[in-house]
Amino acid sequence: MKILVTGGLGFIGSHTVVELQNKGFEVIIIDNLSNSSIDVLDAIAKITGKKPEFEKLDLREKEAVSAFFKKHTDIAGVIHFAASIFVNESVENPLLYYENNINTLIYLLKEVSARKEMSMIFSSSCTVYGQADELPITEEAPVKKAEAPYGNTKQIGEEIIEDTCKVYPNLKAISLRYFNPIGAHETANIGETPQGKPHHLVPYITQTAIGIREQLLVFGGDYDTADGTCVRDYIHVVDLGKAHATALERLLNNKNKSNYEVFNIGTGKGSTVLEVISSFEKVSGQKLNYKIVDRRPGDVTAIYADTKKANNELGWQAKSTLDEAMDSAWKWEKKVRS
Ligand code: WQD
C-alpha cells in the first residue's frame, strides 16, 4: 500500500516515515523544503534501508496538487504534516498561516475526497485546547479560542475535515492532537533541526549545552505550578511517529468507530521546564547555563494529556521516559555538530 506523507522531510514527518516503512508500507513524500532538508531522504534510507519516493511540491499550488493525484492513483492513505508551525510567527504573519495551513488542506481534501476510498491522518495539536480548565485534558474538553493564528488553523483544519467526512463516506480521517514532541531517532540519523534560533525548549537546551547559544532563558518562574515554571507533556518523537502508523492502520483495517475521530497523543505526564532541565543535566552529566526571566506571551500555565482514549481505543501507548527522550535529543545535537 502506498502512503502519501506531506511534509515528510520535517521533524515529526520523517520519524513517521521511518515507522511506516518499518511496518512495510511504501511511502511517497511531498515537501516544499521550506523548513526541511532533502538530505533527510538519505538519512531515512540509512535507518530503514529503503529510500522513500519524493516529489518537491508546494501544496499552495492547486494545479500541482491535482496533477500529483492524477499521476499517483495508487495512494491508499495520506498523513498530512505540511504546514507552518510557529506560534509567534503566526501572530506576526496571520495570512501566511491561513494560506499555507488552510488553503493547502482544502486542495488536498478536494483530491482525497474524490477517491473511491481514502484514509487520512491530520497533524493537529494540543494548542486547540488553550488553557484547559481541568487536567489531564481529554478529547471531550472544550476547544477554546486559539491564542494565536497557528492554533486557530489547527482548530479550523479539524472542523473542515470533520465536515468533509460527513458528506464523503469514502473518506475516513483521524486528527491526532499532539503535545510537545521532543528527542530524536536512536540512530541519531534524524532529529529536530530548527532553522536559526530555536523556538522550542529542548533544541534550545541542547544548543546551549553544546555552546551554540550563550544561555537558556526560562520564560517565567512565577506560574502556579510545583516550581513556578510551565508544565507540558513532552512526548518522544519516535512514540509519536508510531502513533501515526497505528492510527493509519486503524483506518485501513476499518477498525474506526466513525469516519472522523480525534485522539490526544501524549505521555499523560506533565513536566515543568526546570524538571526538563534537570533531566538533561542528569543524562548529559553537565550543568546547563540558564536564567529565569519574564513570562512569554501566549504560554499556557500547564497542559498534559489524558491518554486513556489513545491507550484503550487506538491501542497505542507512549513508551519512552523524559530521560530517554532528552538523551536522544542530546545524542542528536552532538552528532549534528560533529
Ligand atoms: C515549552 C515550554 C516555554 C523555549 C509548541 C507549540 C505547540 C506544539 C508544541 C505543534 C514553555 C518554555 C521555551 C525557551 C522556555 N507544536 N521555554 N525557554 O510552546 O509548549 O508548544 O510546541 O503542535 O503548538 O506552540 O513548546 O518548546 O516553545 O515551550 O522557557 O527558550 O518551555 O515557556 O513553557 P510550546 P515550547
Side-chain angles (χ1 to χ4, degrees), residues 87 125 127 150 180 200-201 217-219 230 232 296 299:
V87 173
S125 166
T127 34
Y150 164 75
N180 289 53
H200 293 160
L201 176 65
L217 302 182
V218 175
F219 299 135
C230 292
R232 294 289 183 276
R296 178 173 71 175
D299 275 335

Side-chain angles (χ1 to χ4, degrees), residues 208-209 277-278 280-282 284-290:
T208 302
I277 291 172
S278 46
F280 175 78
E281 291 181 333
K282 185 167 78 172
S284 66
Q286 61 181 71
K287 290 301 284 168
L288 188 79
N289 177 11
Y290 71 89

Side-chain angles (χ1 to χ4, degrees), residues 68-302:
F68 175 89
F69 277 89
K70 278 198 184 59
K71 183 174 151 194
H72 297 279
T73 54
D74 53 351
I75 289 171
V78 180
I79 304 188
H80 181 44
F81 291 104
S84 299
I85 60 167
F86 298 116
V87 173
N88 39 6
E89 183 186 47
S90 77
V91 174
E92 288 142 25
N93 195 342
L95 288 179
L96 168 81
Y97 273 68
Y98 289 112
E99 184 192 34
N100 196 35
N101 294 8
I102 303 296
N103 286 8
T104 55
L105 175 64
I106 291 169
Y107 300 154
L108 191 62
L109 282 169
K110 283 188 169 178
E111 297 299 333
V112 299
S113 58
R115 287 296 170 88
K116 194 165 45 52
E117 197 174 359
M118 184 59 76
S119 296
M120 179 170 173
I121 307 296
F122 177 60
S123 165
S124 189
S125 166
C126 62
T127 34
V128 302
Y129 295 117
Q131 176 54 68
D133 303 325
E134 274 175 58
L135 291 172
I137 198 158
T138 70
E139 290 82 353
E140 284 63 52
V143 168
K144 290 192 171 174
K145 178 157 176 33
E147 308 263 341
Y150 164 75
N152 203 25
T153 65
K154 292 301 181 182
Q155 289 177 6
I156 296 167
E158 287 192 10
E159 288 163 8
I160 292 174
I161 295 168
E162 184 172 17
D163 289 344
T164 307
C165 287
K166 280 181 189 145
V167 293
Y168 291 93
N170 52 311
L171 175 61
K172 300 173 280 186
I174 290 176
S175 287
L176 296 181
R177 292 175 179 167
Y178 6 107
F179 288 68
N180 289 53
I182 62 168
H185 194 266
E186 61 188 2
T187 59
N189 284 325
I190 52 176
E192 190 167 6
T193 46
Q195 294 182 348
K197 201 158 143 236
H199 297 255
H200 293 160
L201 176 65
V202 172
Y204 210 106
I205 287 176
T206 56
Q207 287 193 13
T208 302
I210 206 138
I212 296 172
R213 306 289 159 201
E214 188 57 37
Q215 178 181 52
L216 168 75
L217 302 182
V218 175
F219 299 135
D222 59 351
Y223 286 97
D224 180 16
T225 63
D227 59 24
T229 62
C230 292
V231 172
R232 294 289 183 276
D233 184 332
Y234 295 95
I235 174 170
H236 196 301
V237 66
V238 171
D239 281 331
L240 183 55
K242 291 181 192 308
H244 284 79
T246 303
L248 180 69
E249 283 183 319
R250 175 184 175 85
L251 295 182
L252 294 173
N253 300 332
N254 299 308
K255 296 272 189 285
N256 50 306
K257 293 275 185 330
S258 69
N259 75 333
Y260 178 70
E261 296 176 306
V262 176
F263 292 95
N264 283 344
I265 300 297
T267 65
K269 183 181 175 312
S271 301
T272 69
V273 175
L274 293 181
E275 284 165 344
V276 175
I277 291 172
S278 46
S279 167
F280 175 78
E281 291 181 333
K282 185 167 78 172
V283 300
S284 66
Q286 61 181 71
K287 290 301 284 168
L288 188 79
N289 177 11
Y290 71 89
K291 182 169 73 171
I292 296 182
V293 295
D294 291 342
R295 297 180 175 193
R296 178 173 71 175
D299 275 335
V300 295
T301 302

